[in-house]
Amino acid sequence: MLKLKGATVRFGGRAVLDEVGLDVAEHEIVCVLGPSGSGKSTLLRAVAGLQHLDDGRIFLDGRDLDGVPAHKRGVGLMFQDHQLFPQRDVAGNVAFGLRMHGESKQRQALRVEELLTLVGLPGAQGRAVASLSGGEQQRVALARALAPRPRLLMLDEPLGQLDRSLRERLVVELRELFAELGTTVLAVTHDQGEAFALADRVVVMRDGRIAQTGTPLEVWQRLADAFVARFLGFENVTGATVSGEAADTPWGKLPVPSDTTQGEVTLLVRPAGVRLVPAGEGLRCTVAARTFRGTHVAVRLQPEGAPRLEAACALRDAPETGDEVGVAFDAAEIVVLAGVAGL
Amino acid sequence: MDLARTEVAPPARPRSPHRGSVARLGLMAVPVAFFGVFFAYPVVAITVRGLKVDGVWRFGRIGDVLAQPDIRHVLWFTTWQALASTALTLLIALPGAYVFARFEFRGKQILRAVVTVPFVLPTVVVGTAFLALLGRGGLLDELWGVRLDTTVWAILLAHVFFNYAVVVRTVGGLWAQLDPRQEEAARMLGASRFTAWRTVTLPALGPAVAAAALMVFLFTFTSFGVVQILGGPTFSTLEVEIYRQTSEIFDLSTAAVLTLVQFAAVGAILAVHARTVRRRETALRLVDAGATARRPRGAGQWALLAGVLGSIAVLLVLPLAVLVERSLDAPGFGYYKALTRNEGSLFLVPPIEAVGNSLRYAFAATAIALLIGGLAAAALTRRDAGRLGRLVRGFDALLMLPLGVSAVTVGFGFLIALDEPPLDLRSTWILVPLAQALVGVPFVVRTMLPVLRAVDGRLREAAAVLGASPWRVWREVDLPMVRRALLIAAGFAFAVSLGEFGATVFIARPDNPTLPVAVARLLGRAGELNYGQAMALSTILMLVCAVSLLVLERLRTGLRSDRTGEF
């Protein structure tokens, strides 16, 4: 439905969007995930027609969007900080797109009512935008973007400014809502939790290029490279030399699955694969820090003369900061990544 | 983000023309045509007439005129008195801008109008009022035997009197909408109250202060009536000299040379200004002006408020009070009654009819200025890079030129250039509003542009994505936000045309004089009755201005309560 071919945007000679190719199918929810500066917002702006492409093409329903101004593209965009019109009330904001499309007053009112009910703010028509809480503003912005029934709805950091619990609740609501409406969605976020919870398909971006794409499960299980691994929060990434079923790493010889590529590779040891054993066995480490993560404790370990390691362990097993422990590795949680280590 | 983007060259792709640019050029076409026909053409016409004698260019005249010691003295005096006046005005009026922006006190609305009244008074009247205050037999002379009319101080103080409102309106208007929390954020980071102001508020105010200072400098550089009255034989500005050469000595070629000099000087000033102000109007965090003002707290703030009120009383109210007092100096409102009679050969109509003329002209001039200035501001709002950006900035500076070009030259140019088909406007009433609108447009642009540029660009994008065409975006997003600035601009344009004198004096028809023209004619005549009538007519003009400004203030406060058009 949406198709990008070699989409390129340069700011002062630097490619912010570098030959990006992307397909979004009808009714699909695609989430672009990347750190700030990776070009994900520019991607949305290019599709919306707010950013001119230096090269490449964008097609919507097979139609080339080149030269079509933003207001004639029929796509919706929900801005990062909502950008509600401060001088209009809630109804005025939601009805804005309908007015632009020449809907009658009566139909506008009906649609506004319908949408406000849909986003959980029934009867909020007359409220001033300034009186809304962050979550309510987000709902109004969503209703406003949905009102003209855009062929494609784009969300720029949709939940970025909200507090965590609200975010977690809204992301579920959004997914249910989009499924119910059959909306095609292209969202961008820097929050992996948000992306994995919302998307049918995740696209990880880095420096204007697509680093990896796949379902949340695929991305999570088969990390494309060291960048994606680190961006998704994995710390234990290192260069290694594999021979047979052992890899030579700064942390010593690690067991790897038997079908592992031989030679110079980049290895990821998932935190679950770092097992704590009594001091004196395995790799000797000092506990540098521990962070309570709700379901488990993340323990940062400092081996002698090697990079730090992160381990996940149950609360009752977690050692104290400063303790001496030993570390053993679990071959099943060791993954070979593409790309170069240290990035 | 916006700033970063302006650095980028526009993507050159022949297949997709830059629609925004085309639209912008379209918007610029109307103001450009207006300035071409009603400004450039008359000014060029009169300059050519002065420099081309019997079909031969006499450029040698330029050197001859500039070599004269008295002309050099005029140039020197014009420059340094303008600098001194600007500095003095900023010094006295910036605290006033702060007080009006941040403090809430009783009578603020009325005081705001009071402060603006001097700006719209005819220069001749202000000169006379200061003469009555500082001159021989004036108030200071009576009280302490102090006379300032032979010193430059009279001129400087009269210039402050005039331009106080420029600073308060331009700077204070923006100041009132700056989010005080920005300063609070700086204070939480360890900045002292003054440091927070200097590092956060001052840079945000920078463009507005620069704009105000530029206006004050231009007004005082081209000052006419005030210097005419208070300067005596000692002090003369370029504009006074141009008037003298044009209408007293009939030396058109010297006048043409001086016009060119003034034009060049103003052009240079505007170029420097364009360089300094460029890119300084960043997106500001604007909030409801009503929410930022509060009652003064502590002795320091009350002292500041008292100081500002005191300076307003002495510098602005006192001269006006003297003016009113003089107008009432005849028993039973004698001077006022005399205005309704058509006596002698001075006027073809009773002087009181000038009130109606002035109002009619001012309404027309305001409408023209808003249309032209509004289109120009809309075209200038979004700055693109590259050649077009430079073109737009050039246009920006061009719009300011009417403020710097001698009004006398413009008026005289209208007479000799617009008197034959296809542009035979000499006998139509629209000539006067057109000339007055020329001076009003820069005010409209200067007032609206900072606010327009401060509107968050993403609001416009949000509207565009929802299906609003560029024109709808302007109407739906920009217009509601600048409605307040638009009203201020309208007030300025209205006031400017009510008080315009230099050009109007040439083109207003004898049977349709405006108030300032009538006042000047009365002042030009000897006799106590004429002087008194001039004072009375000036008082009426002052009241007309005060009433229109109060209506404007009410309109503004009315807007605030219905919440639209406000942040």
Side-chain angles (χ1 to χ4, degrees):
Chain A
M1 183 209 182
L2 175 73
K3 189 183 216 32
L4 277 79
K5 273 189 182 168
T8 302
V9 171
R10 293 187 198 93
F11 287 165
R14 195 175 68 91
V16 182
L17 217 55
D18 197 357
E19 296 190 20
V20 169
L22 179 67
D23 282 288
V24 180
E26 191 94 40
H27 308 309
E28 191 182 20
I29 302 177
V30 172
C31 207
V32 179
L33 179 63
S36 56
S38 58
K40 52 192 196 309
S41 288
T42 309
L43 178 75
L44 286 199
R45 294 175 57 83
V47 175
L50 300 171
Q51 175 65 53
H52 195 87
L53 277 189
D54 289 318
D55 217 339
R57 282 277 194 285
I58 299 173
F59 300 91
L60 190 63
D61 289 334
R63 175 174 165 230
D64 189 346
L65 290 182
D66 186 33
V68 180
H71 64 281
K72 289 185 183 152
R73 292 201 172 186
V75 298
L77 173 58
M78 209 176 109
F79 284 78
Q80 186 168 2
D81 35 12
H82 314 319
Q83 296 299 333
L84 297 176
F85 302 122
Q87 74 278 14
R88 294 175 206 284
D89 59 12
V90 168
N93 267 281
V94 178
F96 189 90
L98 302 168
R99 265 196 321 119
M100 294 304 117
H101 290 88
E103 295 267 6
S104 71
K105 283 244 181 282
Q106 210 175 356
R107 293 184 54 169
Q108 284 178 31
L110 280 174
R111 180 88 175 128
V112 168
E113 193 182 342
E114 178 191 330
L115 279 161
L116 286 179
T117 311
L118 190 71
V119 298
L121 282 175
Q125 279 93 332
R127 288 181 63 186
V129 164
S131 73
L132 301 174
S133 70
E136 289 168 334
Q137 283 186 28
Q138 195 264 353
R139 288 160 194 265
V140 173
L142 179 64
R144 184 178 74 171
L146 283 171
R149 301 179 208 274
R151 283 178 290 172
L152 170 71
L153 178 66
M154 299 193 289
L155 314 169
D156 190 355
E157 303 276 0
L159 309 171
Q161 294 180 331
L162 306 179
D163 59 69
R164 193 186 176 86
S165 63
L166 188 59
R167 218 160 61 194
E168 282 168 3
R169 203 174 74 228
L170 280 173
V171 84
V172 177
E173 282 183 25
L174 280 180
R175 194 170 160 77
E176 284 172 2
L177 184 69
F178 295 147
E180 188 184 320
L181 297 174
T183 320
T184 310
V185 176
L186 178 61
V188 306
T189 175
H190 65 276
D191 185 297
Q192 43 162 311
E194 206 171 296
F196 289 157
L198 189 62
D200 298 324
R201 198 148 57 87
V202 173
V203 175
V204 185
M205 276 192 79
R206 172 201 184 183
D207 296 338
R209 289 171 172 275
I210 291 179
Q212 184 172 8
T213 168
T215 66
L217 197 63
E218 283 167 0
V219 171
W220 191 259
Q221 284 179 337
R222 292 200 291 275
L223 298 155
D225 57 22
F227 166 79
V228 176
R230 284 185 197 276
F231 179 65
L232 294 183
F234 294 109
E235 306 280 342
N236 309 336
V237 180
T238 183
T241 314
V242 179
S243 56
E245 291 191 10
D248 200 11
T249 74
W251 300 308
K253 285 226 181 285
L254 268 55
V256 291
S258 52
D259 55 346
T260 305
T261 328
Q262 301 291 298
E264 298 281 325
V265 296
T266 306
L267 275 191
L268 163 68
V269 185
R270 292 184 193 273
V274 181
R275 271 189 300 113
L276 299 188
V277 293
E281 294 173 32
L283 179 67
R284 215 172 79 180
C285 296
T286 314
V287 177
R290 37 178 270 169
T291 314
F292 183 53
R293 289 273 164 81
T295 53
H296 67 278
V297 175
V299 182
R300 305 266 284 169
L301 303 164
Q302 182 65 65
E304 267 173 43
R308 282 189 178 181
L309 273 170
E310 189 176 309
C313 55
L315 185 54
R316 56 183 145 64
D317 301 333
E320 294 296 326
T321 306
D323 284 358
E324 294 266 320
V325 294
V327 161
F329 296 91
D330 202 340
E333 300 289 350
I334 295 175
V335 194
V336 174
L337 304 172
V340 190
L343 290 176
Chain B
M1 201 165 169
D2 274 314
L3 281 178
R5 238 178 294 132
T6 60
E7 307 287 351
V8 180
R13 292 217 306 174
R15 276 178 300 107
S16 54
H18 221 280
R19 281 159 190 263
S21 311
V22 175
R24 194 177 3 255
L25 286 175
L27 285 176
M28 271 161 66
V30 177
V32 166
F34 178 82
F35 275 90
V37 174
F38 296 114
F39 176 66
Y41 173 52
V43 171
V44 168
I46 186 143
T47 312
V48 166
R49 188 164 295 201
L51 284 181
K52 205 171 181 181
V53 182
D54 303 327
V56 182
W57 287 101
R58 299 287 167 87
F59 290 115
R61 285 291 295 151
I62 298 177
D64 297 346
V65 170
L66 292 182
Q68 295 167 26
D70 48 337
I71 297 290
R72 281 171 179 245
H73 182 258
V74 165
L75 286 176
W76 165 240
F77 176 73
T78 306
T79 309
W80 84 255
Q81 65 81 25
L83 282 174
S85 300
T86 307
L88 196 63
T89 307
L90 286 179
L91 191 73
I92 295 175
L94 278 180
Y98 175 74
V99 163
F100 275 104
R102 289 290 196 239
F103 288 166
E104 198 56 67
F105 52 91
R106 204 191 295 227
K108 187 171 156 184
Q109 299 297 332
I110 293 171
L111 199 65
R112 202 198 299 269
V114 167
V115 161
T116 315
V117 167
F119 183 72
V120 301
L121 289 183
T123 49
V124 204
V125 177
V126 177
T128 319
F130 269 81
L131 205 59
L133 186 66
L134 308 170
R136 188 154 53 89
L139 196 65
L140 290 195
D141 199 9
E142 281 172 15
L143 291 177
W144 299 294
V146 176
R147 278 184 59 187
L148 293 175
D149 62 325
T150 49
T151 70
V152 75
W153 283 103
I155 295 176
L156 297 187
L157 289 177
H159 281 163
V160 173
F161 173 88
F162 252 120
N163 294 305
Y164 192 90
V166 176
V167 177
V168 167
R169 292 247 158 186
T170 314
V171 180
L174 182 66
W175 208 333
Q177 295 190 339
L178 288 183
D179 195 337
R181 280 173 301 178
Q182 298 266 305
E183 233 177 81
E184 287 166 10
R187 303 233 16 224
M188 297 318 294
L189 293 168
S192 69
R193 195 183 283 275
F194 177 72
T195 310
W197 179 81
R198 189 174 54 81
T199 51
V200 174
T201 307
L202 192 62
L205 287 177
V209 173
L214 174 86
M215 279 192 201
V216 176
F217 186 84
L218 282 180
F219 292 144
T220 51
F221 190 83
T222 58
S223 184
F224 177 43
V226 166
V227 185
Q228 178 98 317
I229 303 279
L230 296 173
T234 338
F235 303 116
S236 175
T237 55
L238 264 175
E239 183 86 34
V240 172
E241 196 61 25
I242 292 170
Y243 180 76
R244 214 167 62 86
Q245 298 286 351
T246 309
S247 66
E248 287 173 20
I249 309 178
F250 302 110
D251 183 350
L252 270 191
S253 74
T254 300
V257 171
L258 293 181
T259 300
L260 285 180
V261 169
Q262 182 160 324
F263 193 80
V266 168
I269 298 162
L270 291 178
V272 170
H273 173 260
R275 284 185 81 86
T276 36
V277 170
R278 190 183 308 164
R279 296 223 180 86
R280 292 197 58 195
E281 285 161 2
T282 46
L284 296 173
R285 228 187 134 76
L286 295 188
V287 294
D288 185 349
T292 62
R294 50 173 173 70
R295 287 185 68 75
R297 275 191 306 238
Q301 295 192 348
W302 281 108
L304 179 64
L305 178 59
V308 166
L309 293 180
S311 67
I312 290 174
V314 171
L315 272 170
L316 306 188
V317 179
L318 194 59
L320 297 181
V322 173
L323 177 73
V324 175
E325 189 259 337
R326 299 242 157 169
S327 78
L328 295 171
D329 219 8
F333 296 98
Y335 294 141
Y336 289 90
K337 284 178 183 157
L339 290 176
T340 59
R341 294 191 296 269
N342 188 12
E343 281 173 356
S345 58
L346 194 55
F347 291 103
L348 300 172
V349 293
I352 199 74
E353 286 195 8
V355 177
N357 293 336
S358 267
L359 284 177
R360 204 168 58 236
Y361 289 146
F363 274 120
T366 304
I368 298 171
L370 281 184
L371 177 70
I372 303 292
L375 284 173
L380 288 171
T381 304
R382 275 162 268 186
R383 293 162 298 172
D384 276 356
R387 271 164 302 164
L388 190 69
R390 225 165 291 137
L391 186 69
V392 165
R393 280 195 294 272
F395 179 51
D396 194 356
L398 206 69
L399 285 173
M400 300 294 287
L401 280 180
L403 291 181
V405 171
S406 157
V408 172
T409 310
V410 171
F412 203 54
F414 261 52
L415 274 196
I416 65 161
L418 302 176
D419 64 343
E420 53 197 3
L423 272 172
D424 187 7
L425 300 173
R426 202 167 158 179
S427 53
T428 61
W429 66 275
I430 196 75
L431 203 56
V432 175
L434 281 173
Q436 294 176 344
L438 274 180
V439 196
V441 170
F443 283 97
V444 176
V445 175
R446 282 291 122 192
T447 315
M448 291 181 61
L449 206 51
V451 181
L452 272 174
R453 285 191 178 157
V455 174
D456 193 329
R458 281 168 309 164
L459 273 182
R460 298 193 185 103
E461 294 178 353
V465 170
L466 288 167
S469 62
W471 153 246
R472 287 297 296 262
V473 170
W474 199 88
R475 219 184 75 194
E476 303 280 350
V477 177
D478 293 76
L479 193 61
M481 293 202 169
V482 298
R483 203 171 293 171
R484 176 192 172 85
L486 199 66
L487 279 170
I488 297 175
F492 260 131
F494 192 74
V496 166
S497 53
L498 272 182
E500 211 289 327
F501 174 63
T504 311
V505 72
F506 277 97
I507 51 181
R509 292 178 0 159
D511 54 345
N512 274 322
T514 65
L515 277 169
V517 171
V519 169
R521 265 191 231 169
L522 286 165
L523 275 179
R525 286 295 180 103
E528 205 177 315
L529 181 63
N530 281 332
Y531 187 78
Q533 282 193 76
M535 291 297 123
L537 209 50
S538 301
T539 307
I540 291 174
L541 175 54
M542 192 179 81
L543 289 176
V544 168
C545 296
V547 168
S548 1
L549 286 166
L550 278 176
V551 168
L552 197 73
E553 292 290 340
R554 280 207 72 83
L555 223 52
R556 282 174 36 167
T557 30
L559 272 182
R560 189 171 301 160
S561 60
D562 80 359
R563 216 183 52 226
T564 55
E566 290 290 339
F567 291 77

